Amino acid sequence: MSVPEDEERLLPLAQRWPRASKFLLSGCAATVAELATFPLDLTKTRLQMQGEAALARLGGSARESAPYRGMVRTALGIVQEEGFLKLWQGVTPAIYRHVVYSGGRMVTYEHLREVVFGKSEDKHYPLWKSVIGGMMAGVVGQFLANPTDLVKVQMQMEGKRKLEGKPLRYRGVHHAFAKILAEGGIRGLWAGWVPNIQRAALVNMGDLTTYDTVKHYLVLNTPLEDNIMTHSLSSLCSGLVASILGTPADVIKSRIMNQPRDKQGRGLLYKSSTDCLIQAVQGEGFMSLYKGFLPSWLRMTPWSLVFWLTYEKIREMSGVSPF
């Protein structure tokens, strides 16, 4: 028994603890991608909150105080009215979120692909298995990361509240966690988790499924090898599909997470994600579900590109097999 144990100690960490290593590697890649593209995520969230019909019915003056502005004007408005560094407001909980979310979804997807579903003898992975695996991975990763996502969305709106003359709700990330926990309990940290995992399932069906399918199709059916060109083409495709599938659920998720709540932690604007969907379509039209699509797509595509290139590279450097 001593020989195998001695040999195991000589193995690289990535081989000794493969799942933990993949979790950490994906978290590192997600951090790089998040820092590079976060201003577009902030712009997207602000756009999704503008012209909220339910808030006007509650007694707010959303339409008057926040006229609808496009992506560029919204981003420039944040810089001019709040300062350049405010483009990264909420980036700390966003990084926390992506370390948990990306780590959870990547480990889950690979476990399902390699162990539960399995590939065929010719290394082919059927599309239907990839779709199911991507959706399940998104659900697991997002459920684990929901508290950090909640804090991220609410902190992204603090600058807007300050401009409207409203008191700031949080002094920082840890104060936000503590206040939400004190007001809504553990349940409050999972506010909006239903639309959140719905969005994550759709986004990962677009991101993981598309990347995995396109990459292996190119490797198996074209002269392209498993290199940076293949990774780039696959990630560009995955970013577009993920944006198309995920934007409506992202709008619903952001509104439910940002809505005011009573002392019991219950939302004052929407009873459920379905209620939010109906109110948005009836009050603002179907295309309101695609508010923020342009910054979402412009953010998702470079995020996907940076994430997958970084992830594949650090896997190679760490001695882990390609995704």
Side-chain angles (χ1 to χ4, degrees):
M1 292 294 293
S2 60
V3 175
E5 289 179 0
D6 292 339
E7 291 179 352
E8 183 179 353
R9 292 193 188 98
L10 297 175
L11 291 174
L13 292 177
Q15 295 182 28
R16 292 168 62 185
W17 299 299
R19 291 197 182 110
S21 299
K22 290 173 183 177
F23 186 98
L24 292 175
L25 292 176
S26 61
C28 291
T31 298
V32 173
E34 195 67 17
L35 288 171
T37 63
F38 189 79
L40 287 169
D41 186 56
L42 176 65
T43 303
K44 174 205 70 177
T45 301
R46 293 288 182 90
L47 277 171
Q48 290 171 345
M49 297 301 157
Q50 291 178 12
E52 196 169 357
L55 186 60
R57 286 197 294 272
L58 186 66
S61 54
R63 294 185 185 276
E64 289 78 9
S65 63
Y68 187 81
R69 301 188 290 188
M71 181 192 74
V72 176
R73 290 184 60 193
T74 298
L76 290 177
I78 294 171
V79 174
Q80 294 170 355
E81 298 164 3
E82 304 172 42
F84 177 75
L85 292 180
K86 291 299 181 180
L87 288 172
W88 279 269
Q89 183 165 14
V91 71
T92 302
I95 290 175
Y96 291 166
R97 181 247 180 186
H98 267 289
V99 169
V100 178
Y101 169 68
S102 294
R105 73 182 184 122
M106 299 304 292
V107 170
T108 301
Y109 184 82
E110 288 200 72
H111 177 75
L112 292 172
R113 185 182 65 180
E114 307 297 338
V115 178
V116 179
F117 294 138
K119 293 183 179 180
S120 59
E121 293 182 0
D122 62 353
K123 301 297 183 181
H124 177 68
Y125 191 52
L127 178 61
W128 69 269
K129 290 184 178 180
S130 185
V131 168
I132 295 175
M135 295 181 71
M136 291 179 65
V139 168
V140 172
Q142 186 55 62
F143 184 79
L144 295 174
N146 197 81
T148 53
D149 203 16
L150 175 65
V151 171
K152 183 201 77 170
V153 170
Q154 295 206 7
M155 290 198 67
Q156 283 178 328
M157 298 305 295
E158 288 298 274
K160 181 172 178 286
R161 288 176 62 87
K162 185 176 181 180
L163 289 176
E164 293 175 348
K166 298 177 181 178
L168 297 182
R169 296 172 291 186
Y170 314 115
R171 295 191 298 270
V173 176
H174 299 99
H175 178 243
F177 275 113
K179 186 174 181 181
I180 294 172
L181 185 62
E183 294 178 351
I186 294 295
R187 180 181 176 184
L189 291 173
W190 269 267
W193 71 272
V194 174
N196 228 356
I197 65 171
Q198 290 170 345
R199 173 191 176 271
L202 292 171
V203 167
N204 281 277
M205 183 173 68
D207 184 31
L208 285 173
T209 301
T210 302
Y211 182 85
D212 196 18
T213 302
V214 172
K215 175 188 170 181
H216 288 94
Y217 176 84
L218 293 175
V219 171
L220 295 174
N221 298 281
T222 72
L224 292 175
E225 298 179 355
D226 193 348
N227 53 28
I228 190 171
M229 177 61 70
T230 302
H231 302 160
S232 298
L233 292 173
S234 302
S235 62
L236 291 174
C237 293
S238 68
L240 175 61
V241 176
S243 296
I244 294 173
L245 294 177
T247 296
D250 193 35
V251 171
I252 302 302
K253 177 213 74 170
S254 295
R255 291 188 172 192
I256 287 181
M257 284 188 157
N258 193 61
Q259 68 176 321
R261 298 183 178 277
D262 60 19
K263 294 182 179 180
Q264 286 72 43
R266 292 175 299 194
L268 299 177
L269 300 181
Y270 312 111
K271 299 176 183 177
S272 64
S273 57
T274 303
D275 181 45
C276 182
L277 172 67
I278 293 172
Q279 289 196 49
V281 174
Q282 289 182 343
E284 305 162 57
F286 176 79
M287 292 309 297
S288 66
L289 298 177
Y290 279 90
K291 279 184 177 180
F293 172 77
L294 183 57
S296 178
W297 173 58
L298 291 176
R299 189 244 181 187
M300 184 68 74
T301 299
W303 192 98
S304 182
L305 182 65
V306 173
F307 173 79
W308 285 112
L309 291 182
T310 305
Y311 187 49
E312 295 275 19
K313 188 61 179 179
I314 60 178
R315 282 175 71 113
E316 178 186 343
M317 294 171 61
S318 303
V320 180
S321 60
F323 178 76

